[in-house]
Amino acid sequence: DQQVKQNSPSLSVQEGRISILNCDYTNSMFDYFLWYKKYPAEGPTFLISISSIKDKNEDGRFTVFLNKSAKHLSLHIVPSQPGDSAVYFCAASTTSGTYKYIFGTGTRLKVLA
Amino acid sequence: DTAVSQTPKYLVTQMGNDKSIKCEQNLGHDTMYWYKQDSKKFLKIMFSYNNKELIINETVPNRFSPKSPDKAHLNLHINSLELGDSAVYFCASSQDNNSPLHFGNGTRLTVT
């Protein structure tokens, strides 16, 4: 039972345009959400997080939006750059529970120059 | 000065062998983890240790035995390796359960 889902396995975007990566979750107990970026042969690198008390968090070109009623979060990258080409994972956890981060299956983003 | 380092990066071995993967973090974090990324690219938690104590064992076969000699180290020993154990194993650490995970670069295990 996949509690965190990324339904788009891949996404291609032109350089300079906006990239929108989506993530859905099923467990309403999740209250902390994270996005990771992964290059080949490397470990996932933390990008940005959001707590359930917020609906938006911004860090430079990266913004994460959280819609709790829809159990949906999205990562916006603007403007997209070729170096952003990677696999992006969303993850979720319950801060009051055990140390358990559940990951989605990832979306491969390709930014075309 | 890599924050989370794991060795080896690649491990090729035959079925039935026993192998270990080592992990060290220099971030001063209290919690360490092992994750497995299988052929379908799922990143699944296997174990979590907090201050050297096991807090999550995600129904992993008992052929897998984690060992945490201190807060900065979490090693993974695997007995009687099977073909299905082939995967990339990631070590990670975090300060608490409201903080991001920091991952190592992974160990690609291939069992032949």
Side-chain angles (χ1 to χ4, degrees), chain A residues 53-69:
Chain A
I53 60 173
K54 293 184 171 183
D55 53 19
K56 177 182 172 182
N57 190 24
E58 193 171 349
D59 183 1
R61 296 186 298 114
F62 302 93
T63 303
V64 55
F65 294 93
L66 175 62
N67 182 335
K68 287 186 290 292
S69 60

Side-chain angles (χ1 to χ4, degrees), chain A residues 36 41 95 97 99-101 105, chain B residues 35 42 56 58 97 99 101:
Chain A
Y36 282 81
T95 55
Y99 291 73
K100 190 172 174 178
Y101 298 74
T105 49
Chain B
Y35 275 80
F42 285 103
I56 293 176
E58 198 66 8
N97 61 355
S99 303
L101 295 175

Side-chain angles (χ1 to χ4, degrees), chain B residues 17 60-65 77-82 84-85:
Chain B
N17 284 348
V60 179
N62 57 16
R63 297 183 296 104
F64 290 78
S65 52
H77 189 75
I78 316 170
N79 289 330
S80 304
L81 277 155
E82 299 177 357
D85 297 332

Side-chain angles (χ1 to χ4, degrees), chain B residues 48-76:
Chain B
S48 170
Y49 269 73
N50 181 255
N51 278 319
K52 301 195 301 174
E53 285 193 28
L54 179 67
I55 51 175
I56 293 176
N57 179 344
E58 198 66 8
T59 60
V60 179
N62 57 16
R63 297 183 296 104
F64 290 78
S65 52
K67 293 270 191 313
S68 182
D70 55 58
K71 238 173 53 162
H73 295 84
L74 180 63
N75 303 323
L76 183 64

Side-chain angles (χ1 to χ4, degrees), chain A residues 96-110:
Chain A
S96 60
T98 56
Y99 291 73
K100 190 172 174 178
Y101 298 74
I102 307 296
F103 282 78
T105 49
T107 296
R108 182 177 300 278
L109 172 67
K110 190 169 183 180

Side-chain angles (χ1 to χ4, degrees), chain A residues 38 89, chain B residues 35-39 41-43 87-90:
Chain A
K38 186 182 179 305
F89 291 94
Chain B
Y35 275 80
K36 177 181 179 181
Q37 186 177 35
D38 60 22
S39 56
K41 306 303 180 188
F42 285 103
L43 257 174
V88 182
Y89 293 83
F90 287 100

